[in-house]
Short mmCIF file of all heavy atoms in Angstrom, two decimals:
data_model
loop_
_atom_site.label_atom_id
_atom_site.label_comp_id
_atom_site.label_asym_id
_atom_site.label_seq_id
_atom_site.Cartn_x
_atom_site.Cartn_y
_atom_site.Cartn_z
N GLY Q 47 88.93 84.29 128.17
CA GLY Q 47 90.07 85.16 128.67
C GLY Q 47 90.62 84.51 129.99
O GLY Q 47 90.17 83.47 130.38
N ILE Q 48 91.67 84.97 130.50
CA ILE Q 48 92.25 84.43 131.71
C ILE Q 48 91.42 84.82 132.96
O ILE Q 48 90.68 85.73 132.87
CB ILE Q 48 93.86 84.93 131.81
CG1 ILE Q 48 93.88 86.40 131.90
CG2 ILE Q 48 94.63 84.32 130.63
CD1 ILE Q 48 95.13 86.97 132.28
N GLU Q 69 95.06 81.86 122.26
CA GLU Q 69 95.74 82.71 121.32
C GLU Q 69 97.26 82.30 121.26
O GLU Q 69 97.97 82.89 120.28
CB GLU Q 69 95.47 84.19 121.52
CG GLU Q 69 96.02 84.67 123.02
CD GLU Q 69 94.92 84.68 123.93
OE1 GLU Q 69 94.14 83.80 123.97
OE2 GLU Q 69 94.98 85.70 124.71
N GLY Q 82 101.20 65.30 137.47
CA GLY Q 82 102.26 64.46 136.89
C GLY Q 82 102.20 64.42 135.33
O GLY Q 82 103.16 63.85 134.80
N ASP Q 85 102.50 69.28 130.73
CA ASP Q 85 103.49 69.37 129.56
C ASP Q 85 103.76 70.91 129.49
O ASP Q 85 102.92 71.63 129.04
CB ASP Q 85 102.70 68.91 128.37
CG ASP Q 85 103.66 68.91 127.25
OD1 ASP Q 85 104.71 69.54 127.22
OD2 ASP Q 85 103.32 68.28 126.19
N ASP Q 87 105.20 72.42 127.38
CA ASP Q 87 104.96 72.92 125.88
C ASP Q 87 103.51 73.00 125.58
O ASP Q 87 103.18 73.26 124.38
CB ASP Q 87 105.48 71.93 124.94
CG ASP Q 87 107.15 71.79 124.97
OD1 ASP Q 87 107.70 72.81 125.34
OD2 ASP Q 87 107.66 70.68 124.65
N ILE Q 89 100.34 74.97 127.04
CA ILE Q 89 99.88 75.84 127.96
C ILE Q 89 98.75 76.78 127.22
O ILE Q 89 98.65 76.94 126.08
CB ILE Q 89 100.96 76.77 128.67
CG1 ILE Q 89 101.69 77.61 127.61
CG2 ILE Q 89 101.86 75.91 129.53
CD1 ILE Q 89 102.62 78.61 128.26
N ALA Q 91 96.68 80.79 127.26
CA ALA Q 91 97.08 82.20 127.42
C ALA Q 91 97.44 82.66 128.71
O ALA Q 91 98.16 83.65 128.93
CB ALA Q 91 96.04 83.12 126.66
N LYS Q 93 99.08 80.88 130.77
CA LYS Q 93 100.19 80.16 131.06
C LYS Q 93 99.97 79.05 132.06
O LYS Q 93 100.94 78.72 132.89
CB LYS Q 93 101.42 81.11 131.49
CG LYS Q 93 101.79 82.20 130.58
CD LYS Q 93 103.06 82.80 130.78
CE LYS Q 93 103.26 83.85 129.75
NZ LYS Q 93 102.67 85.19 130.18
N GLU Q 98 95.24 68.49 125.00
CA GLU Q 98 94.82 68.65 123.64
C GLU Q 98 93.73 67.58 123.38
O GLU Q 98 93.80 66.43 123.67
CB GLU Q 98 96.18 68.10 122.89
CG GLU Q 98 95.91 67.80 121.44
CD GLU Q 98 97.21 67.14 120.92
OE1 GLU Q 98 98.25 67.69 120.93
OE2 GLU Q 98 97.09 65.93 120.45
N HIS Q 107 101.91 82.31 116.20
CA HIS Q 107 101.22 83.61 116.68
C HIS Q 107 100.66 84.46 115.66
O HIS Q 107 99.48 85.00 115.90
CB HIS Q 107 102.21 84.37 117.58
CG HIS Q 107 101.86 84.34 118.94
ND1 HIS Q 107 102.17 83.22 119.81
CD2 HIS Q 107 101.20 85.20 119.85
CE1 HIS Q 107 101.74 83.49 121.05
NE2 HIS Q 107 101.16 84.66 121.09
N PHE Q 111 96.51 85.09 115.76
CA PHE Q 111 95.85 86.43 115.88
C PHE Q 111 95.21 86.86 114.58
O PHE Q 111 94.28 87.69 114.48
CB PHE Q 111 96.91 87.52 116.31
CG PHE Q 111 96.92 87.39 117.85
CD1 PHE Q 111 97.86 86.48 118.48
CD2 PHE Q 111 96.33 88.26 118.75
CE1 PHE Q 111 97.93 86.37 119.74
CE2 PHE Q 111 96.52 88.16 120.12
CZ PHE Q 111 97.32 87.20 120.61
N ARG Q 115 91.60 88.49 114.56
CA ARG Q 115 91.44 89.79 113.94
C ARG Q 115 90.68 89.66 112.63
O ARG Q 115 89.75 90.49 112.35
CB ARG Q 115 92.81 90.42 113.49
CG ARG Q 115 92.82 91.83 113.20
CD ARG Q 115 94.20 92.29 112.57
NE ARG Q 115 95.32 91.91 113.32
CZ ARG Q 115 96.19 91.05 113.12
NH1 ARG Q 115 96.05 90.24 112.07
NH2 ARG Q 115 97.26 90.70 113.88
N ASP Q 144 102.01 104.32 138.87
CA ASP Q 144 103.02 103.45 139.19
C ASP Q 144 102.99 102.01 138.60
O ASP Q 144 103.88 101.24 138.81
CB ASP Q 144 103.48 103.43 140.65
CG ASP Q 144 102.27 102.66 141.39
OD1 ASP Q 144 101.03 102.78 140.83
OD2 ASP Q 144 102.44 102.09 142.50
N ILE Q 146 102.95 98.87 136.07
CA ILE Q 146 103.77 98.45 135.09
C ILE Q 146 102.75 98.11 133.83
O ILE Q 146 101.88 97.12 134.17
CB ILE Q 146 104.68 97.23 135.34
CG1 ILE Q 146 105.79 97.79 136.23
CG2 ILE Q 146 105.23 96.67 134.08
CD1 ILE Q 146 106.70 96.74 136.79
N PRO Q 147 102.71 98.67 132.74
CA PRO Q 147 101.74 98.32 131.79
C PRO Q 147 101.97 97.00 131.15
O PRO Q 147 103.09 96.61 130.93
CB PRO Q 147 101.82 99.54 130.80
CG PRO Q 147 103.20 99.98 130.88
CD PRO Q 147 103.76 99.72 132.28
N VAL Q 149 99.53 94.57 128.28
CA VAL Q 149 98.27 94.61 127.49
C VAL Q 149 97.99 93.05 127.03
O VAL Q 149 96.91 92.69 126.89
CB VAL Q 149 98.11 95.56 126.39
CG1 VAL Q 149 99.25 95.24 125.34
CG2 VAL Q 149 96.89 95.47 125.82
N GLY Q 150 99.01 92.39 126.57
CA GLY Q 150 98.88 91.02 126.03
C GLY Q 150 98.03 91.00 124.88
O GLY Q 150 98.13 91.91 124.06
N ASP Q 154 93.41 92.88 121.06
CA ASP Q 154 93.19 92.02 119.63
C ASP Q 154 91.98 91.27 120.01
O ASP Q 154 91.15 91.06 118.89
CB ASP Q 154 94.43 91.04 119.45
CG ASP Q 154 95.75 91.84 119.47
OD1 ASP Q 154 96.17 92.46 118.46
OD2 ASP Q 154 96.35 91.82 120.54
N LEU Q 155 91.81 90.63 121.13
CA LEU Q 155 90.55 89.91 121.36
C LEU Q 155 89.36 90.82 121.34
O LEU Q 155 88.30 90.40 120.81
CB LEU Q 155 90.68 89.11 122.82
CG LEU Q 155 91.54 87.98 122.85
CD1 LEU Q 155 91.71 87.65 124.28
CD2 LEU Q 155 90.83 86.78 122.08
N ILE Q 157 88.63 93.35 119.59
CA ILE Q 157 88.09 93.80 118.36
C ILE Q 157 88.00 92.67 117.37
O ILE Q 157 87.43 92.74 116.40
CB ILE Q 157 89.05 94.86 117.67
CG1 ILE Q 157 90.43 94.39 117.47
CG2 ILE Q 157 89.13 96.20 118.53
CD1 ILE Q 157 90.72 93.68 116.22
N GLY O 50 105.84 82.99 127.67
CA GLY O 50 106.10 82.39 128.98
C GLY O 50 107.34 81.48 128.92
O GLY O 50 108.33 81.84 128.10
N ASN O 76 107.05 88.36 126.29
CA ASN O 76 107.12 88.57 127.66
C ASN O 76 108.44 89.10 128.02
O ASN O 76 109.38 89.09 127.14
CB ASN O 76 106.85 87.30 128.62
CG ASN O 76 105.54 86.72 128.08
OD1 ASN O 76 105.47 85.75 127.52
ND2 ASN O 76 104.42 87.32 128.63
N SER O 99 104.40 92.50 124.72
CA SER O 99 103.01 92.85 124.92
C SER O 99 102.70 92.64 126.50
O SER O 99 101.80 93.23 126.94
CB SER O 99 102.13 91.84 124.08
OG SER O 99 101.90 90.58 124.78
N PRO O 101 104.92 92.41 129.86
CA PRO O 101 106.06 92.24 130.66
C PRO O 101 105.74 91.78 132.13
O PRO O 101 106.61 91.23 132.84
CB PRO O 101 106.63 93.73 130.68
CG PRO O 101 105.46 94.56 130.38
CD PRO O 101 104.58 93.78 129.64
N ARG O 102 104.59 92.14 132.54
CA ARG O 102 104.32 91.92 133.99
C ARG O 102 103.76 90.59 134.29
O ARG O 102 102.77 90.05 133.62
CB ARG O 102 103.13 92.94 134.41
CG ARG O 102 102.98 93.01 135.91
CD ARG O 102 101.77 94.00 136.13
NE ARG O 102 100.58 93.45 135.49
CZ ARG O 102 99.71 94.27 134.88
NH1 ARG O 102 99.88 95.60 134.79
NH2 ARG O 102 98.52 93.67 134.39
N ARG O 114 111.18 100.07 136.95
CA ARG O 114 110.81 101.06 137.99
C ARG O 114 111.98 102.04 138.32
O ARG O 114 111.84 103.12 138.56
CB ARG O 114 110.38 100.33 139.33
CG ARG O 114 108.99 99.78 139.17
CD ARG O 114 108.22 99.94 140.39
NE ARG O 114 106.79 99.81 140.23
CZ ARG O 114 106.03 98.72 140.27
NH1 ARG O 114 106.67 97.53 140.68
NH2 ARG O 114 104.90 98.50 139.92
N GLN O 125 99.58 92.11 121.60
CA GLN O 125 100.21 90.84 121.15
C GLN O 125 99.96 90.52 119.64
O GLN O 125 100.87 90.04 118.99
CB GLN O 125 99.58 89.63 122.04
CG GLN O 125 100.37 88.39 122.02
CD GLN O 125 99.95 87.38 123.10
OE1 GLN O 125 99.84 86.31 122.92
NE2 GLN O 125 99.69 88.00 124.26
N GLY O 126 98.78 90.69 119.06
CA GLY O 126 98.45 90.38 117.84
C GLY O 126 99.23 91.43 116.74
O GLY O 126 99.69 91.01 115.84
N THR O 146 93.43 96.80 115.62
CA THR O 146 93.63 96.54 117.14
C THR O 146 94.15 97.90 117.68
O THR O 146 95.03 98.50 117.01
CB THR O 146 94.66 95.44 117.24
OG1 THR O 146 94.12 94.20 116.73
CG2 THR O 146 94.99 95.34 118.75
N THR O 150 92.37 103.46 122.00
CA THR O 150 93.00 103.21 123.28
C THR O 150 94.32 104.07 123.38
O THR O 150 94.76 104.74 122.37
CB THR O 150 93.44 101.74 123.27
OG1 THR O 150 94.65 101.50 122.60
CG2 THR O 150 92.41 100.78 122.84
N ARG O 164 85.64 101.38 108.73
CA ARG O 164 86.28 101.00 109.94
C ARG O 164 87.61 101.77 110.13
O ARG O 164 88.24 101.96 109.10
CB ARG O 164 86.49 99.44 109.98
CG ARG O 164 86.89 98.96 111.25
CD ARG O 164 86.96 97.39 111.29
NE ARG O 164 87.11 96.86 112.65
CZ ARG O 164 87.39 95.60 112.92
NH1 ARG O 164 87.39 94.71 111.95
NH2 ARG O 164 87.40 95.23 114.25
N ARG O 193 106.99 71.92 118.93
CA ARG O 193 106.18 71.00 119.75
C ARG O 193 105.11 71.83 120.42
O ARG O 193 105.38 72.70 121.14
CB ARG O 193 106.96 70.26 120.78
CG ARG O 193 106.20 69.23 121.45
CD ARG O 193 107.07 68.11 122.22
NE ARG O 193 106.25 67.29 122.88
CZ ARG O 193 105.65 67.53 124.05
NH1 ARG O 193 105.98 68.67 124.76
NH2 ARG O 193 104.78 66.69 124.53
N ARG O 194 103.84 71.46 120.09
CA ARG O 194 102.64 72.11 120.71
C ARG O 194 102.69 73.53 120.77
O ARG O 194 103.11 74.30 119.81
CB ARG O 194 102.41 71.34 122.00
CG ARG O 194 102.22 69.82 121.87
CD ARG O 194 101.86 69.06 123.05
NE ARG O 194 101.06 67.94 122.73
CZ ARG O 194 100.52 67.05 123.57
NH1 ARG O 194 100.84 67.22 124.78
NH2 ARG O 194 99.80 66.10 123.10
N THR O 195 102.28 74.20 121.90
CA THR O 195 102.15 75.73 121.97
C THR O 195 103.58 76.24 122.18
O THR O 195 103.68 77.53 122.25
CB THR O 195 101.29 75.98 123.05
OG1 THR O 195 101.64 75.57 124.35
CG2 THR O 195 99.75 75.75 122.66
N ASN O 198 104.58 79.06 119.09
CA ASN O 198 104.15 80.43 119.21
C ASN O 198 104.88 81.48 118.35
O ASN O 198 104.63 81.53 117.21
CB ASN O 198 104.20 80.84 120.63
CG ASN O 198 105.35 80.65 121.53
OD1 ASN O 198 106.47 81.20 121.19
ND2 ASN O 198 105.30 79.81 122.45
N ARG O 244 114.17 67.61 125.99
CA ARG O 244 113.28 68.18 127.13
C ARG O 244 113.17 67.15 128.17
O ARG O 244 113.05 65.94 127.77
CB ARG O 244 111.98 68.53 126.58
CG ARG O 244 111.85 69.84 125.80
CD ARG O 244 110.82 69.88 124.77
NE ARG O 244 111.49 70.46 123.65
CZ ARG O 244 111.02 71.58 122.92
NH1 ARG O 244 109.99 72.10 123.30
NH2 ARG O 244 111.71 72.08 121.87
N TRP O 246 110.75 66.44 129.81
CA TRP O 246 109.36 65.80 129.88
C TRP O 246 109.17 64.84 128.73
O TRP O 246 108.10 64.35 128.62
CB TRP O 246 108.26 66.73 130.07
CG TRP O 246 108.38 67.85 128.98
CD1 TRP O 246 107.83 67.99 127.81
CD2 TRP O 246 109.08 69.16 129.19
NE1 TRP O 246 108.13 69.19 127.22
CE2 TRP O 246 108.94 70.04 128.02
CE3 TRP O 246 110.01 69.60 130.15
CZ2 TRP O 246 109.55 71.21 127.76
CZ3 TRP O 246 110.61 70.84 129.94
CH2 TRP O 246 110.38 71.52 128.78
N GLY O 255 105.83 64.26 134.44
CA GLY O 255 106.66 64.23 135.65
C GLY O 255 107.41 65.54 135.93
O GLY O 255 108.39 65.54 136.73
N THR O 275 101.76 79.04 139.97
CA THR O 275 101.99 79.15 138.51
C THR O 275 102.16 80.43 137.98
O THR O 275 101.85 81.44 138.81
CB THR O 275 100.79 78.53 137.69
OG1 THR O 275 99.63 79.14 138.28
CG2 THR O 275 100.62 77.04 137.94
N ASP O 279 98.41 86.35 131.33
CA ASP O 279 98.83 87.07 130.11
C ASP O 279 97.92 87.98 129.35
O ASP O 279 97.87 88.08 128.08
CB ASP O 279 99.56 86.14 129.10
CG ASP O 279 100.55 86.71 128.16
OD1 ASP O 279 100.89 87.81 128.47
OD2 ASP O 279 100.76 86.07 127.16
N ARG O 280 97.10 88.82 130.02
CA ARG O 280 96.26 89.53 129.26
C ARG O 280 95.92 90.95 130.02
O ARG O 280 95.87 90.94 131.14
CB ARG O 280 94.89 88.85 129.02
CG ARG O 280 94.27 89.41 127.81
CD ARG O 280 93.07 88.53 127.42
NE ARG O 280 93.55 87.37 126.89
CZ ARG O 280 92.87 86.14 127.11
NH1 ARG O 280 91.84 86.14 127.85
NH2 ARG O 280 93.35 85.07 126.54
#
Side-chain angles (χ1 to χ4, degrees):
Chain Q
I48 59 168
E69 60 262 38
D85 183 344
D87 292 333
I89 61 174
K93 304 201 181 81
E98 168 193 297
H107 249 82
F111 280 79
R115 197 190 305 107
D144 65 331
I146 291 175
V149 65
D154 309 275
L155 282 167
I157 59 91
Chain O
N76 307 105
S99 86
R102 191 184 60 220
R114 289 220 158 91
Q125 199 169 136
T146 298
T150 79
R164 191 174 188 187
R193 186 165 177 275
R194 299 187 148 177
T195 58
N198 57 67
R244 277 153 228 241
W246 48 97
T275 52
D279 198 17
R280 202 169 293 143

